[in-house]
Amino acid sequence: MLVWAAEETHNPLIPPVGEIIIGAIAFAVLAFVMIKLVAPQFEKAFVARRNAIEGGIERAEAMQAEAKAALEQYRAQLAEARTEAAQIRDAARAEGQQILEEMRGQAQAESARIIARGEEQLMAQRQQVISQLRAEIGTLAVELAGRVVGESLTDEARRSGTVDRFLAELDGMTAGTAAGDGRGGSTAYAPQGDR
């Protein structure tokens, strides 16, 4: 009962010294294991995690910078394409204007050629009509002169001279009227005899 009594006198809140020593040794071993083995693993995991996060941020920043560069390049290409399209549009407009001017010039040249050809044809027809009229007027003049003179003017030389004088006087009357002398150009025709 003595042991029992000795145990009863001992304070239950204070652990026995043997337990304190065993607890201190166990704590020291546990602390040593934690510091030497577990803490470096935690540190490695922490560093790896921090590197992964920082690497992800750096990669995200790099990708963002790359996307920004691609966007700038796209905008530059778009501006260049717009400039090129404007140049092509201006060149097409200038080429169209040049083609229009060439077509207008060709049309004017063709028009001038057609007008010149028409005038040539008109002059040729006018000369033909004048020749026919001269021949008819000459025949009528010879007949009329023959009636006035009372003799036949069948002699070719006479008739040719008479017709030429009549036509010259007729041309002179026409020229005088066209010049605007206002007198009407009345000249009496008097056939002359043999020369």
Side-chain angles (χ1 to χ4, degrees):
M1 290 240 168
L2 266 194
V3 177
W4 185 267
E7 284 183 6
E8 286 184 16
T9 63
H10 180 57
N11 186 357
L13 294 177
I14 298 176
V17 175
E19 286 181 9
I20 290 176
I21 292 174
I22 291 177
I25 292 173
F27 179 76
V29 170
L30 184 62
F32 179 78
V33 169
M34 289 292 286
I35 290 172
K36 290 293 181 183
L37 296 177
V38 176
Q41 293 300 323
F42 279 138
E43 187 65 28
K44 282 183 186 176
F46 175 72
V47 168
R49 184 71 178 153
R50 186 178 65 201
N51 288 342
I53 291 172
E54 288 176 356
I57 291 172
E58 289 175 2
R59 282 194 307 272
E61 288 174 353
M63 291 177 77
Q64 186 176 7
E66 187 178 328
K68 192 173 184 180
L71 179 63
E72 290 300 320
Q73 183 180 3
Y74 168 74
R75 285 181 179 165
Q77 288 175 348
L78 184 62
E80 183 180 336
R82 285 181 179 161
T83 304
E84 188 176 338
Q87 289 173 349
I88 290 171
R89 185 177 56 241
D90 291 342
R93 187 177 293 133
E95 187 176 342
Q97 188 69 23
Q98 182 181 4
I99 290 171
L100 184 64
E101 290 297 324
E102 288 175 2
M103 295 292 282
R104 189 175 290 140
Q106 288 176 356
Q108 287 175 349
E110 183 68 17
S111 173
R113 188 185 64 78
I114 290 172
I115 288 172
R117 198 167 108 210
E119 287 176 354
E120 288 174 4
Q121 288 177 351
L122 186 62
M123 289 299 288
Q125 288 177 354
R126 181 174 180 249
Q127 290 298 326
Q128 184 180 6
V129 168
I130 287 173
S131 297
Q132 288 175 354
L133 283 176
R134 281 182 182 249
E136 288 179 18
I137 288 174
T139 305
L140 290 174
V142 169
E143 287 179 14
L144 183 62
R147 287 185 188 163
V148 169
V149 172
E151 61 184 66
S152 174
L153 296 175
T154 56
D155 183 16
E156 188 65 36
R158 261 190 196 167
R159 184 169 58 172
S160 175
T162 305
V163 168
D164 288 341
R165 276 194 313 276
F166 178 74
L167 290 177
E169 289 178 11
L170 186 62
D171 284 340
M173 288 178 10
T174 306
T177 305
D181 59 359
R183 291 181 291 157
S186 60
T187 307
Y189 173 72
Q192 300 176 357
D194 294 338
R195 291 188 176 178

